[in-house]
Amino acid sequence: MNPISQTAISMGKYVVSPATHPTDCGRFRASFSVHRSQGNGSYCRVFRFDKAFASREAARLFAVTQGWLQTCMQHPPTC
């Protein structure tokens, strides 16, 4: 399995930046930001999740998947 980069990923007209955060109990939480700049306007939204994962890679994969859903669906599910 190839590790997913912690850096920004271009997804169409958006850029998704996944991130992981260690918890006090040794697990990891996921988050991501979605950014779009177009002309004079821009859009940026940050999503953080309460779910904890056993590994950093699992949390990162969850963040990338949720970012992909947010950018590709016409009416994304609310988290």
Side-chain angles (χ1 to χ4, degrees):
M1 181 160 103
N2 294 332
I4 297 170
S5 174
Q6 183 91 9
T7 59
I9 302 166
S10 179
M11 295 185 179
K13 61 183 176 181
Y14 297 97
V15 174
V16 174
S17 299
T20 59
H21 314 278
T23 65
D24 292 338
C25 65
R27 295 178 65 86
F28 297 90
R29 295 202 188 278
S31 68
F32 71 91
S33 66
V34 177
H35 179 78
R36 180 191 69 182
S37 287
Q38 198 172 44
N40 291 334
S42 67
Y43 169 88
C44 185
R45 194 163 183 190
V46 176
F47 296 83
R48 293 183 181 92
F49 301 97
D50 290 334
K51 181 176 173 71
F53 298 89
S55 70
R56 184 178 302 276
E57 188 62 22
R60 190 174 303 130
L61 181 60
F62 182 82
V64 170
T65 302
Q66 293 300 312
W68 174 76
L69 287 171
Q70 196 62 225
T71 60
C72 75
M73 296 179 74
Q74 186 174 7
H75 301 289
T78 55
C79 302

